[in-house]
Amino acid sequence: MPDADLPNRQRLHHDVPHWVADGSPFFITVNCAERGREQLTLPETAAGLLDAARFYHDQHKWHLTLMLLMPDHFHAILSFPRTAAMADLFKHWKRYTARTLGIEWQDGFFDHRLRNDQEENAKHHYIRHNPVRQNLCATPDDWPHQMRWTSSGLVIGGR
């Protein structure tokens, strides 16, 4: 099919709508520009990404519930303050990590608001089992490239 026959792709604003409760969780996916090449799970890069995510968490730019790095993308469950524009946060975070860690990011990101506890639990399970489905580890707890919020604070690694 010629490109002229395809509909124009719309750019999403990624703002938290005014009617969504402050602090509502979002399922986020961010891809590397080149899929299929390991960039994010190299030890120094993974540590730098998780540190940068923790910095944004500590600065209250977002609340991190879960972030899991795969070789060429990552998934996260994040909540944002009402005053934050998701697109701006990711633009600055990706620019910083690209400059300091040499990551080549794909433009934009995918976000989906999680509307209830069942959706959040399902996405949490999906994210944690992603490396298992890709035969990168035997159990979710074996995967070192993740960070989760627990009752004792942010925990890096699977356990």
Side-chain angles (χ1 to χ4, degrees):
M1 172 184 289
D3 287 345
D5 294 338
L6 295 174
N8 287 333
R9 189 172 198 182
Q10 298 288 324
R11 283 251 183 229
L12 299 176
H13 297 287
H14 298 293
D15 291 333
V16 178
H18 71 300
W19 44 266
V20 172
D22 197 29
S24 292
F26 284 79
F27 169 66
I28 305 289
T29 301
V30 180
N31 294 310
C32 292
E34 183 182 343
R35 298 299 305 268
R37 179 171 69 92
E38 181 180 21
Q39 285 191 68
L40 307 185
T41 53
L42 301 171
E44 287 184 22
T45 303
L49 283 170
L50 294 176
D51 284 346
R54 181 177 37 220
F55 179 81
Y56 264 42
H57 177 87
D58 291 344
Q59 296 295 309
H60 306 288
K61 294 177 185 284
W62 61 40
H63 175 80
L64 188 147
T65 300
L66 172 64
M67 178 179 275
L68 186 137
L69 308 175
M70 293 294 287
D72 62 358
H73 68 282
F74 75 81
H75 296 295
I77 297 175
L78 301 168
S79 303
F80 304 90
R82 166 83 40 229
T83 57
M86 283 190 280
D88 290 341
L89 287 173
F90 277 105
K91 180 174 123 183
H92 297 299
W93 189 83
K94 285 167 60 175
R95 184 172 34 209
Y96 169 78
T97 57
R99 189 178 65 242
T100 60
L101 302 170
I103 299 167
E104 298 174 31
W105 294 111
Q106 190 177 85
D107 286 343
F109 60 96
F110 171 82
D111 69 274
H112 171 75
R113 182 173 60 92
L114 302 174
R115 290 165 173 79
N116 55 50
D117 289 343
Q118 292 80 15
E119 277 191 24
E120 187 172 352
N121 291 337
K123 289 300 184 190
H124 195 277
H125 184 270
Y126 168 82
I127 293 169
R128 294 269 338 264
H129 285 82
N130 204 354
V132 176
R133 281 189 304 279
Q134 296 298 314
N135 295 316
L136 298 172
C137 62
T139 71
D141 285 341
D142 294 338
W143 191 244
H145 310 297
Q146 61 182 303
M147 183 166 40
R148 303 177 276 133
W149 180 257
T150 69
S151 58
S152 58
L154 285 176
V155 175
I156 295 177
R159 302 206 188 276

